[in-house]
Each structure stands twice: as structure tokens, then as C-alpha cells.
Amino acid sequence: MVIDNKETTVSFRCPECGSWVTGITGVFSLSADMLRLKCPCGGGEMDIVYGKDKKVRLTVPCFACPKPHSYTLTSQVFFGKELFSLPCPYSGVDLCYIGEKDKVSEAADDADQELARLLEEAGLESFFGEKGDKETSPLFTDPQILEIVNFVIRDLDEAGEITCKCERDEGLYTVDVTDDGVTVKCERCGAKATIPVTSTLTAQAFLNCEHIDLE
């Protein structure tokens, strides 16, 4: 009898160095207990567990949030999709890709290109340096962070994607850079939210933000 050992490719972005960490996962290797993918830099790791219920549970590090996110997928989705993404529930930015090797690699490249496009629109072509080397890019200084955030806040405000205690379109939003990140506040009702935008990686997450709810 021939046993079909299903395999899939998993890739996540390290929150420490920004590189994509990729591994090939098989159902047999998962059934042993737990598979842990680690970045060579030592700054990020992802856990994958294949349970007795044949569901796959993943713990994925996030560069926009202080703690990793947990996801549960059926084995059919985990092993059967050409491409499947796991987004950060806060920012909406993709943290992990699962599927066929070529599809996963292409998705990671597209994610980097999309970031470059957003930065160019924001007037920050030099964000990655002259050769686009993300690993050697400097962290944002405060003025740069503020410029990026103002760009995103303006677009979200115009699209009606910022909500607070005020009636729709009546909020007045300001932005402050703090040690914890960036605080968006409505000057009229006092509602606010702090977004941990303090580095190149967290800036990527915020550039892909689709909605902000101030409380």
C-alpha cells in the first residue's frame, strides 16, 4: 500500500530581522508532536501542531503586535490549498503564507513589492536604502514615523475607516509619536488608540491598515 505523505510549504516573516522563514511541512513530521520553524537570527519562531482531531494549530509571531497570534486550520485547508494566508487580526497585513512552494514564494515577493509601492506613494523611496536592502535599513526616526502615519491616517479618514465616539465624519484626529509607538486621538471625544509603529517592520503593518477603531 502506498501512503500519501501530504506536504505543504509554510513561510512567515521574522519580526526581528524582517526576512521570510520558509519550511516544508509533512503530515508525518507534524504528527510526532510539534514542528517549530526558527529564524536563523534567533528573533522569531513559529509553532505548528497537528492534533488528533486532524486540525492544524499555528502560533505565528507578529511584527505589529507584542504577542504572537494563534490560528486553527483543518488539515484539508493546510495541506490542500495552493495558497492560503494568515493575516494579523489587528492590521490585516499577512504574517504567514501556506501552500505550494512557488505560490508561497511569489506571495512573499508580492508582499515586499506592495510595501515598496506604498512607501513610494508616501514619498519615502529611500526607506529600504538605495538597493532595497531591508536587512540593512535603518529604523525610523520620529519625523519619518510621523510622516508615514499621517499619510495612512489621512487616507483612512477620507475613506471613513476611522471610528470613534463621535458621529460619522465628525471626528477630529491627531497623531503623536511616543515611546510605545503612535497614538491616534480624536480631539473632540477623547477616544484614542496606540499603534506600536516603532520600526520598519511595524511600519509595514500600519501601511496595510484598513481600519482604526478609537476607544
Side-chain angles (χ1 to χ4, degrees), residues 22 26 57 68 74 76 80 97 111 117 122-123 127 155 175 189 191 193 200 203 213:
T22 302
R57 292 170 174 81
T74 64
Q76 290 86 353
Y97 294 111
R117 183 187 67 79
F127 180 76
D155 277 5
V175 179
C189 70
T200 57
D213 186 20

Side-chain angles (χ1 to χ4, degrees), residues 89 104 162 165 170:
V104 168
I162 301 179
K165 299 175 183 178
E170 292 187 1

Side-chain angles (χ1 to χ4, degrees), residues 76-185:
Q76 290 86 353
V77 170
F78 186 79
F79 291 107
K81 293 287 186 178
E82 289 186 355
L83 181 67
F84 191 82
S85 63
L86 298 177
C88 166
Y90 178 78
S91 67
V93 67
D94 290 338
L95 304 178
C96 173
Y97 294 111
I98 303 165
E100 297 179 359
K101 182 179 180 180
D102 291 344
K103 297 289 186 181
V104 168
S105 178
E106 182 179 353
D109 290 340
D110 288 345
D112 288 340
Q113 292 175 13
E114 176 64 10
L115 172 61
R117 183 187 67 79
L118 292 170
L119 292 168
E120 183 176 358
E121 289 180 357
L124 296 169
E125 295 89 345
S126 62
F127 180 76
F128 285 148
E130 296 180 359
K131 297 183 179 180
D133 186 355
K134 296 185 288 298
E135 294 184 2
T136 59
S137 301
L139 298 181
F140 284 123
T141 60
D142 283 358
Q144 289 174 316
I145 294 177
L146 189 57
E147 183 178 353
I148 291 173
V149 172
N150 280 331
F151 168 77
V152 177
I153 293 298
R154 183 172 61 251
D155 277 5
L156 292 178
D157 190 12
E158 292 176 355
E161 292 297 338
I162 301 179
T163 55
C164 60
K165 299 175 183 178
C166 298
E167 296 293 330
R168 183 178 178 85
D169 298 327
E170 292 187 1
L172 179 61
Y173 307 116
T174 59
V175 179
D176 291 319
V177 177
T178 67
D179 292 339
D180 296 325
V182 173
T183 298
V184 183
K185 180 180 179 181

